[in-house]
């Protein structure tokens, strides 16, 4: 797997328990911080395009604000179906949170 790393946000902009919607490299990305660990998913809910980065985060579960679909932000797993939403690798370098859009 290879991919390019892109600056997504700064650490000081993303406190624990937060969800954010960001656009980087033409993609909508949902960024979550849980106990100092960062997770990123495709920010568009596959149900009807809701903004997952604007959803309510409860522990590691985000609820889409449009229709209530829920996903585990650590792995993209939908809570009641076999659907697994796209997640992205994250790394932190200093104050920078970087995201990688991997491809084969």
């Amino acid at each position: 797997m290879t991919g390019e790393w892109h600056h997504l946000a700064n650490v000081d902009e993303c406190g624990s328990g937060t969800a954010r919607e960001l656009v980087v490299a033409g993609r909508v990305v949902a960024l979550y911080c849980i106990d100092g660990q960062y997770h990123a998913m495709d920010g568009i809910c596959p149900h009807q395009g809701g903004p997952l980065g604007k959803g309510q985060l409860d522990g590691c579960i985000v609820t889409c604000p449009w229709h209530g679909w829920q996903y585990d932000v650590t792995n993209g797993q939908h809570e009641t179906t076999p659907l697994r939403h796209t997640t992205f690798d994250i790394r932190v370098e200093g104050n920078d949170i970087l995201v990688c859009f991997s491809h084969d």
Side-chain angles (χ1 to χ4, degrees), residues 1-7 25 89 91 98-103:
M1 296 274 251
T2 60
E4 293 183 42
W5 290 92
H6 302 274
H7 180 268
D89 291 333
R91 74 179 181 210
L98 305 175
V99 62
C100 183
F101 305 125
S102 297
H103 53 280

Side-chain angles (χ1 to χ4, degrees), residues 4-26:
E4 293 183 42
W5 290 92
H6 302 274
H7 180 268
L8 185 59
N10 294 325
V11 169
D12 56 8
E13 299 171 332
C14 305
S16 193
T18 62
R20 295 196 58 203
E21 180 178 76
L22 303 153
V23 177
V24 63

Side-chain angles (χ1 to χ4, degrees), residues 5-102:
W5 290 92
H6 302 274
H7 180 268
L8 185 59
N10 294 325
V11 169
D12 56 8
E13 299 171 332
C14 305
S16 193
T18 62
R20 295 196 58 203
E21 180 178 76
L22 303 153
V23 177
V24 63
R27 296 186 83 150
V28 178
V29 178
L31 175 66
Y32 308 97
C33 181
I34 303 167
D35 298 326
Q37 298 293 312
Y38 299 96
H39 305 278
M41 291 192 335
D42 183 313
I44 300 172
C45 183
H47 174 236
Q48 288 190 352
L52 292 175
K54 294 181 180 181
Q56 178 66 41
L57 185 62
D58 184 14
C60 65
I61 304 301
V62 67
T63 301
C64 180
W66 284 9
H67 301 105
W69 281 40
Q70 295 182 311
Y71 303 88
D72 182 329
V73 302
T74 66
N75 61 16
Q77 183 63 54
H78 185 267
E79 287 298 285
T80 59
T81 72
L83 174 71
R84 188 175 293 257
H85 197 45
T86 302
T87 58
F88 306 115
D89 291 333
I90 290 284
R91 74 179 181 210
V92 177
E93 292 181 356
N95 190 46
D96 297 322
I97 301 169
L98 305 175
V99 62
C100 183
F101 305 125
S102 297

